[in-house]
Amino acid sequence: MRTGNRKKDKKHSSAPRILPKEFQCRCEDLKGYVYDVASTKGGSTYTRTTQEIARHVGGKYSQIGTYIHSALLMLVVPNLPQPAEPEPITVGDNKAEVTNVQQEIWKEQIRLWVKMDAGIKSTIKSVYDLIWGQCSEMLRSRLRGDKKFTQYSMLA
């Protein structure tokens, strides 16, 4: 039965209303760029967040930044081509040989290649943590519920 006073007719719960906690990303430079399941903007939020993370990571790592930037946008781990062995040079009537300079340049190229390849692999693993930090709690919960989550997270 209505008493005519709407305020008195409403049922009030004694339990406090819990408001969703505002998402706090782990990287201050990426504030506002979040992966979330409850986005009303469709794929544009995902695309903008991915592009911003790629830009951030690409600028953070000077030697391998372009590789990581491309990897994030294309979703493919870069494969650096191994430096080719030096071509032997024929000098006069002598048989073709690799000069000492060519050999030293090649050794340096190999050393840099190994360093960059290791850097890319370790950076990809740290980018996993950065991306995980940009995921909302709801998305993390859904990902943790996937039966292959443990396998994927252990490989990262």
Side-chain angles (χ1 to χ4, degrees):
M1 181 172 143
R2 285 184 80 168
T3 61
N5 189 345
R6 288 188 179 191
K7 287 185 180 180
K8 289 182 182 177
D9 288 344
K10 287 185 178 179
K11 292 182 180 180
H12 294 287
S13 171
S14 61
R17 183 172 174 221
I18 300 173
L19 297 173
K21 185 173 80 171
E22 186 174 324
F23 177 76
Q24 295 293 320
C25 57
R26 292 191 183 162
C27 180
E28 196 61 35
D29 291 343
L30 298 172
K31 191 172 186 175
Y33 296 96
V34 179
Y35 293 113
D36 195 4
V37 293
S39 176
T40 58
K41 296 177 182 163
S44 65
T45 302
Y46 168 82
T47 302
R48 279 186 288 136
T49 300
T50 302
Q51 288 172 342
E52 191 60 24
I53 289 173
R55 184 205 56 78
H56 171 76
V57 173
K60 187 174 178 179
Y61 300 97
S62 59
Q63 287 187 334
I64 58 172
T66 56
Y67 295 105
I68 302 301
H69 181 269
S70 297
L72 288 172
L73 295 178
M74 295 183 193
L75 300 177
V76 176
V77 178
N79 187 12
L80 291 177
Q82 186 174 342
E85 291 188 42
E87 292 290 324
I89 298 175
T90 304
V91 180
D93 293 335
N94 297 335
K95 67 179 183 173
E97 293 182 357
V98 175
T99 66
N100 288 340
V101 173
Q102 286 178 304
Q103 191 67 29
E104 291 303 314
I105 290 172
W106 183 66
K107 285 180 184 177
E108 183 66 17
Q109 288 173 339
I110 292 292
R111 189 184 72 73
L112 289 173
W113 177 78
V114 168
K115 184 178 176 182
M116 286 181 67
D117 190 56
I120 288 170
K121 289 175 183 169
S122 68
T123 303
I124 290 288
K125 289 181 182 207
S126 66
V127 168
Y128 174 87
D129 291 333
L130 176 66
I131 291 172
W132 184 255
Q134 295 306 119
C135 293
S136 68
E137 191 55 44
M138 185 184 296
L139 180 57
R140 288 183 201 173
S141 178
R142 284 193 182 181
L143 291 170
R144 284 185 196 112
D146 187 276
K147 59 185 172 186
K148 292 186 177 181
F149 173 76
T150 305
Q151 177 186 352
Y152 292 137
S153 63
M154 295 296 284
L155 295 173

